[in-house]
Amino acid sequence: MEEIQAVPQTGTSHALELRFTGSGNEYFRIWIVNLLLTIITLGLYYPWARVRRLRYFHGNTLVGGHALDFHGEPKKMLRGFLLAGALVLLYSFAGRISPLAGGVAFLAVASFVPALLWAALRFRLANTSWRGMRMRFAGTIGGAYRALAAAVVPIALLVGLGWLSGSPTDDPDQPPRTALAIAAPLVVLLALSLAPLMFWLFKRYQHGNLALGEERSRLGLGPGPFFALSFKVAGVFVLASLALNIGPALAVGLEDVRGRTWVLLLLVFGYLIVLAISGAYATSRLQNLLWSNTASARIRFRSALEALPYIRLAITNAVLVILTLGFYWPYAATATAKMRLEAVTVQLDVSPDELATEWRRDDDAAGDAAGDLFGIDIGF
Amino acid sequence: MPPGLEADYFDGRSARAIRVSLRVENGMLRIVGDALDLSVPVASIDWPERRSRGVRMAHLKGGGSLHCSSGVAWDAWARDQGLGDSLVVRAQQSWRLAVGAIAALIAVCAAFYLWGVPVAARVIVRLVPPGVDARVGEIVLDTLRDQEIVAPSAIEWEQQERIRTAFAAAVGRTWPPGDRPALHLRFYESALGANALALPGGTIIVTDDMVRLLADREDVMLGVLAHEIGHVRERHSMRALVQVSLLGAVAGLAYGDYSAVLAGVPAVLGQMAYSRDFERRADDESIRLLRANGISPEVMAMLFQRLQAESHRRAKEAKHFDLGIALASHPADEERMRRFQAAAHEGSMAR
Ligand SMILES: [Zn+2]
C-alpha cells in the first residue's frame, strides 16, 4: 500500500487531497453495456447498473490516497426501486383520474418524502466506506420531518392558490376574482422567496449529520448566504438569457422568427445553454458554500471550485451531449466529477494514521441494518 | 508454491490496514498476515470487477474488506487463480463489445420507438375504462374555456343543426349500427383559427372559422368530421397521453440524472412522429366515410388549399408566430393531400 499522501502543515493539521481517477472512455463502456442491460430487462437491471456506477465513481475517488468504496447490494436496492417506482406510478396515475385523487395522492406521497429522504441518506452513507470504515448518517427520522416541515407553508400556499383559481365562480365579475388576480403573483413570490430557507433547513439536516467513527459534522452556516446566493443565481440566469436568448430574438425580430424552424431551434439550444450556465454557477457556489462550512471536531472540508472553469466545462458538456444525442454523457459525468471532487480538500487536526487507529465502528450496527432494510437510494 | 498477492486487509471495525498475502486453495481464499490467518469461501466474496486502472476492493461477509492499490497486479493474480470475468465485465472492457452494445441499443430503441411504445399505449389504453376518457375530455374542455381559447359560438343554431343532421346521416351510411360512434358535436368561436379537435371521450369541437371556411362545401366538412371521428374511435388522444408518459419515463431513466430538460426532448420529438401516424389513421376513416357517401376523397384537397391560404393571410395579419405551422404541418399537409388524391384514384379504378 502507498503511504498516505498527507501533507503535514503547521502544527498538527494535515491536508488530504481528493483525486478522481475515473476515465471517460472506460465509463462510456460501462454505461453503454449497463444501459443496454437495463433497457432489455425493462428496468429491472437498473439497481445492478447503479451499483456498478457508484462503485466506479467511489472507487476512483481517492481521499488522501485511499479510495472510497460502495457496499450496497443490488438485490436489496431492487426492492427500494420497485417501491419508489410504485409510488411514482400511483401518483402520476391518480393525477390523471381527477384533481381530487391527484391531491390525495400528492398529500400521501408528500407525507412519505421526509422518511424516504432519511432512508436514502442513511442507506447511501452506511454503504460508503473509506479505509474499510463505514460512514454513517446520524440524522433521525424525526429530524427529517422537522427539517422539511417548513416546506408545508409554500406548498400549502401554492396548492391553495391553485384550488381557489380553479374553483368555478358563478359571477365572473365577483370581487374575489380581482383580489385573487392581485394576490396570486404575491403568493407565488412569497412561496419562491421562502425556497432558500427551505433549502437551508434541509442542507443543515443533511450536512449536520454526516458521521465517521467518533466524528460528526455540523453545518456552520445560517440561512443568509443561501438567500444571497439565490439572488446571484437569478441574476446570472437573467444576464445569460439576455445575452443568449432574448437579445438575439429581439435582434432578429419576432417577425422574422416566425416560420423559420432553424431560428427557433437555435433559441431552444440557447435556452439549454442558459440553463447550463446558471446551473453550473449555482452548483459551484453552492458546493463551496456547503463544504467549506461543514466540519466536525477534528475534520474540516475546504472547497475551492472556481465558477468560470466549471461553467466552461458545463457549456462544453451540454453542447457535446446535445450534438451526440446523449452519447457524450459518460464523458461529461467523469469530467464533472473530476473538477468538482478535486476542488475539495479535507483538513485533519490529527495525523490520519492516528485517527485511523482510534476509529471504532459501533458494534450496534443498527444504522446499516436500517439502511439495508429500506434499500432506497436517491441520487443527491 | 508461488508468492501470494500483497494486499491490505481491513476488519471493518477500525481503519487500521493489515498487510496480508492472498492465495486461493481448494475454493477457499487464504488471507495470511501479521497475527492473522483467515480462510474464506471464494464463492462468498464480493469480488471487484476488472477495470483499466484504479484500486481493487473485495468485500468479505461480515464487513471486512481487501484493498489492492495495484489493479494490474490484482487482475493478473485473479486470472492465475482461475477467477474469471463475467460476460458483462468483458463487454465493459472491450471497445469491440461496447460498440456491439451501442448497435444493439440503437436496434432496441428503434424497435421500442416504432412498435413498442404504440403497442404498449394501445394495451394500456384498452385497460383504462372509457369513463376516464370522458373525465379527461371534460378537464381539457374546461381548460380551453378557462384560458379563453374557446368561446361561445357565433354560428346560427339552424346551421349547426344542419351540419349535425348531415353528419349523423353520413355516419349512418358508413358504419353498421353496433359499430357506430356516439356523436357529440360542439361549435366554438376560437383563437385556434379554422380547426377541429377530437377530445378524449368523444366530444368533437369545430371552430367557427372552420364552419365559415367550408360554408359552401358540406362534403368537405363531412370529411373533416369523419377525420375527427377516426381519432375518437381509436382513442388517439388517450394513446398520445400514454405514449408521451412512456417515452418520458424511458428517456428519464437514461439521461434523467444528467438533465431533466434533455430527457424531455425525445418525448416531444417522438410524439410529433406518432401524431403523424394518428393523422394517417384518421384520414383513412375520413376516406371511408366519404366513399360510403359517394363523395370522392379528392374533395379534401379543397380543405388543404383553403387552410393554406388562410394561414398565409393570418401570418400577414397576426403579430404572433405559430410554432405548430412552422415546425411540422406544411410537409405533412402535402403528404396528406396526396393520400386523399391516391384514394380517389383507387376508388375510381375499383368502380
Ligand atoms: Zn387529426
Side-chain angles (χ1 to χ4, degrees), chain A residues 1-2 21-23 25-26 28-40 43 45-46 50 52-53 55-56 59-60 62 66-71 93 96-99 130-134 166 254-255 257-261 264-265 271-272 275 314 317-318 321-322 325-327 329 331-333 356-357 359-361 363, chain B residues 8 10-17 19 46-55 57-59 62-65 67 69 86 88-89 91-95 97-102 104-106 108-109 128 132 135-136 139 146 241-242 245 250 253-255 257-259 261-262 265 314-316 318-323 326-327:
Chain A
M1 187 182 75
E2 298 165 54
T21 57
S23 95
N25 275 330
E26 183 166 37
F28 177 85
R29 296 191 303 258
I30 295 175
W31 174 76
I32 198 80
V33 169
N34 286 280
L35 183 60
L36 176 66
L37 289 168
T38 303
I39 284 176
I40 59 178
Y45 195 77
Y46 186 61
R50 191 165 175 86
R52 273 223 180 78
R53 188 181 119 191
R55 283 214 181 144
Y56 188 75
N60 279 299
L62 306 181
H66 290 270
L68 298 180
D69 198 359
F70 182 72
H71 301 261
F93 189 68
R96 290 209 176 130
I97 290 176
S98 79
W130 181 63
R131 298 185 65 157
M133 290 283 303
R134 299 283 185 113
L254 280 185
E255 273 308 296
V257 169
R258 188 193 320 130
R260 284 204 211 157
T261 309
L264 280 172
L265 284 179
Y271 181 64
L272 289 174
L275 284 186
N317 286 344
V321 167
I322 294 168
L325 300 176
F327 281 104
W329 138 240
Y331 295 89
T357 49
W359 274 341
R360 294 262 161 219
R361 182 192 185 194
D363 280 334
Chain B
D8 288 310
F10 292 95
D11 62 7
R13 275 182 291 280
S14 83
R16 194 167 60 90
R19 201 88 184 122
D46 182 11
W47 294 98
E49 294 185 344
R50 180 164 61 87
R51 295 203 215 107
S52 62
R53 52 176 128 170
V55 298
M57 294 175 285
H59 306 152
S65 57
H67 294 198
S69 56
S86 69
V88 176
V89 174
Q92 283 174 171
Q93 288 308 328
S94 143
W95 270 116
L97 289 173
V99 169
I102 296 176
L105 193 70
I106 290 170
V108 168
C109 286
V128 175
V132 176
R135 188 80 196 94
V136 174
I139 294 170
D146 283 353
L241 259 178
V242 175
S245 317
V250 171
L253 207 65
Y255 306 127
D257 41 8
Y258 184 64
S259 161
V261 176
L262 277 186
V265 172
R314 277 164 63 89
K316 282 205 193 84
K319 294 280 172 260
H320 72 276
F321 62 99
D322 196 335
L323 187 69
L327 277 181

Side-chain angles (χ1 to χ4, degrees), chain B residues 228-263:
Chain B
E228 299 307 323
I229 282 285
H231 286 315
V232 171
R233 277 165 63 83
E234 300 200 344
R235 295 168 84 183
H236 281 164
S237 3
M238 288 303 279
R239 273 160 63 184
L241 259 178
V242 175
Q243 285 174 349
V244 170
S245 317
L246 279 177
L247 270 185
V250 171
L253 207 65
Y255 306 127
D257 41 8
Y258 184 64
S259 161
V261 176
L262 277 186

Side-chain angles (χ1 to χ4, degrees), chain A residues 4-174:
Chain A
I4 292 166
Q5 293 163 4
V7 187
Q9 302 217 318
T10 49
T12 52
S13 184
H14 301 259
L16 304 186
E17 302 279 337
L18 260 68
R19 291 244 302 118
F20 183 74
T21 57
S23 95
N25 275 330
E26 183 166 37
Y27 183 54
F28 177 85
R29 296 191 303 258
I30 295 175
W31 174 76
I32 198 80
V33 169
N34 286 280
L35 183 60
L36 176 66
L37 289 168
T38 303
I39 284 176
I40 59 178
T41 56
L42 300 175
L44 286 181
Y45 195 77
Y46 186 61
W48 280 264
R50 191 165 175 86
V51 165
R52 273 223 180 78
R53 188 181 119 191
L54 285 170
R55 283 214 181 144
Y56 188 75
F57 279 89
H58 277 58
N60 279 299
T61 304
L62 306 181
V63 182
H66 290 270
L68 298 180
D69 198 359
F70 182 72
H71 301 261
E73 287 173 44
K75 263 184 223 153
K76 284 173 183 157
M77 287 165 77
L78 183 61
R79 278 197 308 237
F81 283 113
L82 292 177
L83 180 71
L87 277 179
V88 169
L89 269 184
L90 199 75
Y91 175 60
S92 57
F93 189 68
R96 290 209 176 130
I97 290 176
S98 79
L100 181 68
V104 171
F106 174 78
L107 285 182
V109 171
S111 66
F112 273 123
V113 162
L116 288 177
L117 278 174
W118 169 79
L121 282 166
R122 225 173 147 95
F123 180 79
R124 174 61 74 83
L125 277 155
N127 283 300
T128 297
S129 72
W130 181 63
R131 298 185 65 157
M133 290 283 303
R134 299 283 185 113
M135 299 183 186
R136 269 182 303 124
F137 183 70
T140 61
I141 189 163
Y145 276 92
R146 277 193 297 280
L148 294 174
V152 168
V153 179
I155 289 174
L157 278 177
L158 291 176
V159 168
L161 184 69
W163 186 73
L164 271 180
S165 57
S167 66
T169 42
D170 299 322
D171 179 10
D173 299 323
Q174 236 177 290

Side-chain angles (χ1 to χ4, degrees), chain A residues 171-193:
Chain A
D171 179 10
D173 299 323
Q174 236 177 290
R177 277 278 174 197
T178 353
L180 198 66
I182 301 168
L186 290 176
V187 170
V188 172
L189 208 65
L190 181 68
L192 269 181
S193 67

Side-chain angles (χ1 to χ4, degrees), chain A residues 202-370:
Chain A
F202 174 66
K203 283 296 168 187
R204 194 181 59 160
Y205 172 69
Q206 189 190 0
H207 280 247
N209 287 299
L210 310 174
L212 182 62
E214 302 277 293
E215 300 292 313
R216 188 169 152 179
S217 70
R218 282 274 161 269
L219 181 65
L221 208 55
F226 288 82
F227 281 98
L229 181 60
S230 68
F231 281 118
K232 285 188 209 156
V233 171
V236 168
F237 180 80
V238 168
L239 283 180
S241 300
L242 278 176
L244 289 166
N245 242 323
I246 301 167
L250 290 178
V252 174
L254 280 185
E255 273 308 296
D256 294 331
V257 169
R258 188 193 320 130
R260 284 204 211 157
T261 309
W262 64 271
V263 177
L264 280 172
L265 284 179
L266 271 183
L267 288 179
V268 170
F269 192 74
Y271 181 64
L272 289 174
I273 302 299
V274 169
L275 284 186
I277 291 174
S278 39
Y281 176 78
T283 310
S284 64
R285 286 297 139 104
L286 195 61
Q287 172 175 320
N288 291 347
L289 188 64
L290 282 172
W291 285 101
S292 296
N293 290 289
T294 299
S296 67
R298 287 173 300 176
I299 306 174
R300 273 166 296 124
F301 296 89
R302 267 218 74 69
S303 171
L305 182 58
E306 285 177 59
L308 273 183
Y310 190 66
I311 289 174
R312 220 175 298 141
L313 178 71
I315 295 174
T316 317
N317 286 344
V319 170
L320 289 173
V321 167
I322 294 168
L323 291 184
T324 59
L325 300 176
F327 281 104
Y328 187 74
W329 138 240
Y331 295 89
T334 43
T336 305
K338 188 172 174 68
M339 193 177 274
R340 287 188 66 175
L341 286 165
E342 294 193 347
V344 177
T345 44
V346 186
Q347 306 265 351
L348 296 181
D349 284 346
V350 282
S351 102
D353 279 325
E354 195 184 319
L355 203 58
T357 49
E358 68 181 53
W359 274 341
R360 294 262 161 219
R361 182 192 185 194
D362 306 359
D363 280 334
D364 148 41
D368 303 10

